Every structure is written in C-alpha cells, then in structure tokens.
Amino acid sequence: MNPAVHDERHFLSGDTVRDVVIGLSDGLTVPFALAAGLSGAVSNTHIVVLAGLAEIAAGSLAMGLGGYLAARGDAEHYTSELKREQSEIVTHTRDEEDEIYEIFQQYGVTRQESEPVLLALKRNPEAWVDFMMRFELGLDKPDPRRAVFSAATIAFSYVAGGLVPLMPYIVLSQATKALQLSVVITLLALAVFGAVKGRLLGTPWLRSAAQTALVGGLAAAAAYGLAKLFSTV
Amino acid sequence: MNPAVHDERHFLSGDTVRDVVIGLSDGLTVPFALAAGLSGAVSNTHIVVLAGLAEIAAGSLAMGLGGYLAARGDAEHYTSELKREQSEIVTHTRDEEDEIYEIFQQYGVTRQESEPVLLALKRNPEAWVDFMMRFELGLDKPDPRRAVFSAATIAFSYVAGGLVPLMPYIVLSQATKALQLSVVITLLALAVFGAVKGRLLGTPWLRSAAQTALVGGLAAAAAYGLAKLFSTV
C-alpha cells in the first residue's frame, strides 16, 4: 500500500533529522540561557561572550563525542547480539523455535498456525537470525558510517544554534542591551525551529513552535534568576 | 528460553538507566568544561561559580523539558499511528494483508507459508493492529507516566553531575587551584561513571571508563583553549 507514507515516515524519523534537532535545540537553548543568566550578574558583555564561547565549545564537543560513542555502542551491541543469535539457533535450536512460537502467541496466533513460518525460517538460517534480531530483540542493522556522521551533525548543529543567542553580545558592549536583542532573536529562532520540527515530525506546528520557545524561555529565566540571586549574595 | 537474559536486556536498555546516563554524562562534562574554560581566562572563582550555576540551571531545565517533550511526542506519534492502522485494516484491508506478506517475504517466507498467520490475525483485529505497530512500524507502546518521570530523571542527573566539577570553585577562591582539583575529581567521577555505564550496557568497563573520561577531558581542553585564546585577544 501507499509507499509515499512509508517514504515519508522513513525520512521523518531519519537519524540525520534527529541529530540536527538534538544539536540545534540544545545549542539554541543552553548558551542562550547561560548568556541571559550571566548578563543578569555582570554588566560587560566580554565575560558573557567568553563564557558563551566556552559553553559552545564544551557543549558541541561533549554532545558530538557523546553521539559518536552512542552510535558506535549501538553498532557493537547489534554485532554482539547477532553473534549470540547465530550461535543460539545452532546450540539452542529448540529454545529459539519456542521463542518464535511465543512471539506469535502474543498476537493470538497458535503454534499450528505459526509452524509454516518456522519451517520456512529454518530453511534459511541467515533469515532466521535476521528475523530474531528484528522481531525478538527489536534491533535494526546500524549504518557503519553513522557514528562519525552523527557526531559531526550534532556538533555542527550545536555550534550553529549556539551562535544565534551569542551574536548580540559579540556585537554590543552593554549587557542589558545585548540581552534584550538576544531574547528577541533567540525566541524567534526557537519558534521557527519548533515550527519546522513540528512539520517534520507530524505534530501541529504552532504548538511545537510555542513549546520550543517556552522551553528556551523557561531555561533562560531560571538561569537569569539564579545568577541574579547568586550575584547579590 | 533463558528468561534471565531477557530480564537483563530489559533492565539494561531500560529508559530510566538511559535517562540517568544522558543527564549524568552531559552534567559531568559541560559544566566541567565551561568552568575549566573560564578559569583559563579569569582569576576569581566567583564568576566561574556564577557561570557554572547558570549553566546547570539552564542545562538541566533545557534537557529535562526537552526529554519531557520528546517522550510526549513519542506517545502522541504512537497514538496517531495506532489510529491510522486501526482505520487502515478496515478501509484498506487488502493493502494491509499484502503488507503482512511483504514483511514475511523479506525473510524468505512465502505467501502460502505466512497465510495461516494472516488468517489468525484477521480473527482478532486488535492483535492485528498490535502486530502491524510492532512489526511494520517498529513502534512499542509508550508508558503514559514516562514523560514526567523522564524529565525529572534527566534534570536531576544533570544537576547531580554538574555540581561535582563546580564544588572546588565553590570551596576555593583561587581559580587555578580550583581548576586543578576540579580536573582530578571530575575525571575520576567520569571514569567511575563510564565504568558503571559500561557494566550496565555490556561493553568492556575499562574502555568505557577511559572513553568517558576522554570525552570530558577533550571538551574541557577545547573550552579552556578557546577561552584562553579569546581572553588574550
């Protein structure tokens, strides 16, 4: 049936889109909130830019490398489970057969009804292992190039997102003026990003825009309040 | 077969463990790197603590709320796909039947062999929809309480992680001394966390400890270098 729906779904839940969303949403939010918080405590933008750049460097590297290790971990997990299934269909053939019956029983399919599928899988051990990986363990074959690409996508998106709220502090020297401009352009950027994300993920775009701007705004307000409180102590 | 393996796997890939790992790894890394970066540029720890606390507030809220929205988005995506499948098995019965054959064909199971399963699923429309959700779309039923719990777990772990590298700056007044202590206790904390994470996820614990400490160290070194560079310009 409708192949368009399948293509669309594949694209939308695409790993790259997810990586861009992860990087951009944190990149827009955290440096924004940090800069806002600091400008509630210091009057000069120099220290705000300094902290902001340090945060962008730290955040993008931590998230990018974290993404790299997570993707590589997924790949290793898949390989080790694959090896285990490959040996189990030989050493624990009966157990693995029972597992297939159990999978189908959850959906009201009797042993007798699922037997032809079992016999077909036993004809082809490679397909049997693939079937167990997907339907018993819920694991998809990972893309080997994914780890590096995922890391770069997340890190780059974080830097791109983080420079938006920092720009006013780089251009202007007075922290309060820069804060005002930063709030305006960042909330705008968050709303646009939220709307696009909503469209891509199939949730109502207006609500997604409002939610994304709200998260950034709340984080910034909390950081601002805390820094203000702490700087007057 | 071996139910112990299944329990274990369920626990290991458990959403709560994942949330703690997400919060802790970013919480230990980013405030650590930010504080290190700033202490490369300022001599007083007051501004480092200020920026660090603002970062922890911003980061924990941004990540926590982000986790909340992501979990709620997953739940909504599941519900909307469920409704679509429920209507499609009525309005596009033939297409949905073909999809079942196609799923099995990928594993070398012929139409004839998969027909008894199809007939069994058609007896029980609810099970049929569940089967399509799991095996066509790869979606698992989300836990309704997950969104709030996930948000709180990520945010709390971030705060807990973030306070570790910041503690020396709170206690000591000289930035370089505090930095040295912060590097030691944070790399230690990262290594312990990495080792525990490795044990839980089934990767070699020593390698996991080294990797996690390396990511934190690299992010901190980059932030330190950038802040040093910028402060001397």
Side-chain angles (χ1 to χ4, degrees):
Chain A
M1 51 150 280
N2 41 13
V5 172
H6 283 246
D7 283 355
E8 186 193 29
R9 190 181 302 120
H10 187 72
F11 169 65
L12 299 191
S13 63
D15 291 328
T16 303
V17 172
R18 209 192 48 128
D19 288 339
V20 171
V21 167
I22 289 174
L24 259 189
S25 59
D26 273 32
L28 277 169
T29 311
V30 183
F32 168 50
L34 173 67
L38 281 178
S39 59
V42 300
S43 57
N44 192 296
T45 52
H46 186 77
I47 198 79
V48 179
V49 175
L50 189 65
L53 288 179
E55 210 287 333
I56 291 175
S60 61
L61 258 168
M63 287 193 76
L65 289 173
Y68 171 76
L69 293 177
R72 237 187 48 174
D74 284 352
E76 278 168 14
H77 181 61
Y78 185 88
T79 308
S80 81
E81 292 291 339
L82 186 72
K83 274 191 193 133
R84 188 202 294 206
E85 287 296 331
Q86 280 166 344
S87 89
E88 279 182 352
I89 65 166
V90 178
T91 58
H92 295 74
T93 312
R94 275 297 295 275
D95 291 332
E96 292 290 315
E97 288 177 14
D98 282 342
E99 284 185 357
I100 292 190
Y101 288 132
E102 279 161 28
I103 291 170
F104 285 112
Q105 266 162 20
Q106 293 169 32
Y107 301 92
V109 181
T110 65
R111 283 180 87 92
Q112 205 188 338
E113 286 159 338
S114 39
E115 200 175 6
V117 173
L118 173 64
L119 294 175
L121 290 174
K122 289 190 73 172
R123 270 201 319 262
N124 185 348
E126 208 171 307
W128 188 5
V129 170
D130 284 348
F131 186 88
M132 300 310 279
M133 292 300 287
R134 183 86 177 77
F135 296 131
E136 184 206 350
L137 305 180
L139 295 175
D140 286 316
K141 203 182 177 68
D143 182 344
R145 296 156 310 172
R146 180 152 158 60
V148 170
F149 188 69
S150 174
T153 309
I154 293 177
F156 183 81
S157 306
Y158 194 95
V159 173
L163 288 177
V164 172
L166 218 57
M167 211 41 87
Y169 300 95
I170 296 173
V171 177
L172 303 171
S173 61
Q174 211 189 314
T176 37
K177 283 250 170 69
L179 171 63
Q180 288 164 6
L181 188 58
S182 178
V183 167
V184 173
I185 64 168
T186 309
L187 289 183
L188 209 68
L190 281 166
V192 170
F193 164 65
V196 172
K197 190 178 70 173
R199 286 301 289 246
L200 284 176
L201 300 177
T203 50
W205 66 270
L206 198 59
R207 204 186 61 186
S208 178
Q211 275 181 344
T212 311
L214 191 71
V215 169
L218 279 179
Y224 184 87
L226 195 76
K228 198 98 189 166
L229 192 77
F230 179 76
S231 67
T232 54
V233 171
Chain B
M1 51 148 282
N2 41 12
V5 172
H6 283 246
D7 284 354
E8 187 193 30
R9 190 180 301 119
H10 186 71
F11 169 67
L12 299 191
S13 64
D15 292 328
T16 304
V17 173
R18 209 192 46 129
D19 288 340
V20 170
V21 167
I22 289 174
L24 260 189
S25 60
D26 273 34
L28 277 169
T29 312
V30 183
F32 168 52
L34 173 67
L38 281 178
S39 59
V42 300
S43 56
N44 192 297
T45 52
H46 187 78
I47 199 78
V48 178
V49 176
L50 189 66
L53 289 179
E55 209 288 332
I56 291 175
S60 61
L61 259 168
M63 287 195 77
L65 289 172
Y68 171 77
L69 293 177
R72 236 186 50 174
D74 284 350
E76 278 168 16
H77 181 61
Y78 185 88
T79 308
S80 80
E81 292 290 340
L82 187 71
K83 276 193 192 132
R84 188 202 294 207
E85 286 296 331
Q86 280 166 342
S87 89
E88 280 182 351
I89 65 165
V90 178
T91 58
H92 295 73
T93 311
R94 275 299 295 276
D95 291 332
E96 292 291 315
E97 288 177 15
D98 282 342
E99 284 185 359
I100 292 190
Y101 288 131
E102 281 162 27
I103 291 171
F104 284 113
Q105 266 164 20
Q106 293 169 34
Y107 300 93
V109 182
T110 64
R111 284 180 88 92
Q112 206 188 337
E113 286 161 337
S114 40
E115 199 174 10
V117 173
L118 173 64
L119 294 175
L121 290 174
K122 289 190 73 171
R123 271 201 318 262
N124 185 348
E126 209 172 305
W128 189 4
V129 170
D130 284 348
F131 186 88
M132 299 310 279
M133 292 300 288
R134 183 87 176 75
F135 296 130
E136 185 205 350
L137 305 180
L139 295 175
D140 286 315
K141 202 182 178 70
D143 182 343
R145 296 156 311 173
R146 178 152 158 61
V148 170
F149 188 71
S150 172
T153 308
I154 293 176
F156 183 81
S157 308
Y158 194 96
V159 172
L163 287 177
V164 172
L166 218 55
M167 209 44 84
Y169 299 95
I170 296 174
V171 176
L172 303 171
S173 62
Q174 211 188 314
T176 35
K177 284 250 171 69
L179 172 63
Q180 287 164 7
L181 189 58
S182 179
V183 167
V184 172
I185 64 168
T186 309
L187 288 183
L188 210 67
L190 281 166
V192 170
F193 164 66
V196 172
K197 190 178 71 175
R199 287 301 288 249
L200 285 175
L201 300 177
T203 49
W205 67 269
L206 198 60
R207 203 186 62 186
S208 179
Q211 274 181 345
T212 312
L214 190 70
V215 170
L218 279 179
Y224 184 88
L226 196 75
K228 199 96 189 168
L229 191 79
F230 179 76
S231 67
T232 55
V233 170

